[in-house]
Amino acid sequence: MTTTQEYGGPGRTGPAGGSAARPPTGAEPEGVAEVLARMRALGAGLPAEDGVAVFNGVYLAVTEAVARRIGDGTFQDPAAAGELDIRFARRYFDAVDAAAAGRRPPACWRPLFQLRRHPGVRPLQFALAGINAHIGHDLALAVLDTCRALECEPAALERDFDRVGGVLTSLEERIRELLMPGPDVLDVADPLTHLIGSWSVDKARDGAWVAARALWSVRRLPDVTGELTERLDAGVGLVGRMLLTPLPS
């Protein structure tokens, strides 16, 4: 039986084929504003050194960047991009809520919640493990959620999916610079440098798109869909466990 202690601290409160109407320039969609408010509330309720807080701060920065671009004409279909952003975030919130209630979050999230306070895990590892779970698993399923909600094919979202991915890629280097300790970034023999060099947000994003297309193509075969989803979750969780390997100080 999973316990609350294992996964973390106390609970925290945390038309078909058509183009949706574009919000006014500079506007922040209501649903995205609610997502941002939830992330800020989560961050305010967690110690800064908590691994979930580290990831939450990174994710908040990404979501703020996406929200700005939804209103500035970056996206081909701003309403669809906003819908994807909201459904993407909900999967993270579901994992947070499950862990807070003592339930098992998806396998991709378990390493982060289990090791969130481990003294041998560096902040950059927490950030990348959360990004790995959220992109490698949640993003693929959020594409499916969005396609069902908007009654469209994944291809209708591809261009804006790539633009969201561009935001993630542009922030990855900044994240590494902020969280990478000292001169180790130049030391190829350093365990942390070696570990983070084996993972790429671009590859994770590309894998998420392939997984989304595959799951969409078998959506009328529930047994196959269920098995593929379970294996995706488990595989991403294994990568997360390796990213969170405790390292010597």
Side-chain angles (χ1 to χ4, degrees), residues 78-98:
E83 185 75 19
L84 176 59
D85 194 52
I86 292 162
R87 292 181 179 274
F88 187 31
R90 283 178 184 166
R91 291 192 169 270
Y92 163 56
F93 296 148
D94 286 347
V96 170
D97 292 342

Side-chain angles (χ1 to χ4, degrees), residues 26 28 32 34 39 49 75 82 104 108 115 124 135 153 165 169 189 248:
E28 186 177 272
V32 177
E34 292 174 357
M39 288 181 189
E49 66 276 10
F75 294 107
R104 285 165 68 85
C108 61
L115 297 170
L124 181 56
I135 294 179
E153 297 285 325
T169 301

Side-chain angles (χ1 to χ4, degrees), residues 202-226:
D202 283 336
K203 290 183 174 60
R205 184 193 65 190
D206 291 347
W209 182 250
V210 171
R213 291 181 59 196
L215 288 166
W216 183 256
S217 71
V218 298
R219 65 191 182 281
R220 295 184 179 87
L221 301 171
D223 290 346
V224 177
T225 301

Side-chain angles (χ1 to χ4, degrees), residues 77 124 152 154 162:
D77 186 340
L124 181 56
C152 68
D162 287 342

Side-chain angles (χ1 to χ4, degrees), residues 50-70:
D50 185 299
V52 177
V54 174
F55 167 72
N56 189 81
V58 168
Y59 190 22
L60 174 59
V62 170
T63 306
E64 288 172 336
V66 171
R68 289 192 295 270
R69 285 162 175 78
I70 286 173

Side-chain angles (χ1 to χ4, degrees), residues 111 114-123 125-126 129 190-192 195 239-249:
Q114 289 171 334
L115 297 170
R116 62 194 293 177
R117 298 182 181 89
H118 197 295
V121 179
R122 314 280 181 85
Q125 292 175 263
F126 288 132
D190 179 78
L192 180 59
L195 186 66
V239 173
R241 180 74 63 184
M242 290 188 288
L243 285 170
L244 292 173
T245 300
L247 301 174
S249 58

Side-chain angles (χ1 to χ4, degrees), residues 2 8 14 20 27 31 35 40 55 71 124 129 137-138 149 157 161 188 197 204 208-209 217 227 229 248:
T2 301
V35 164
R40 289 169 185 142
F55 167 72
L124 181 56
H137 174 264
D138 292 357
L157 302 177
F161 178 96
V188 295
W209 182 250
S217 71
E227 182 174 355
T229 302

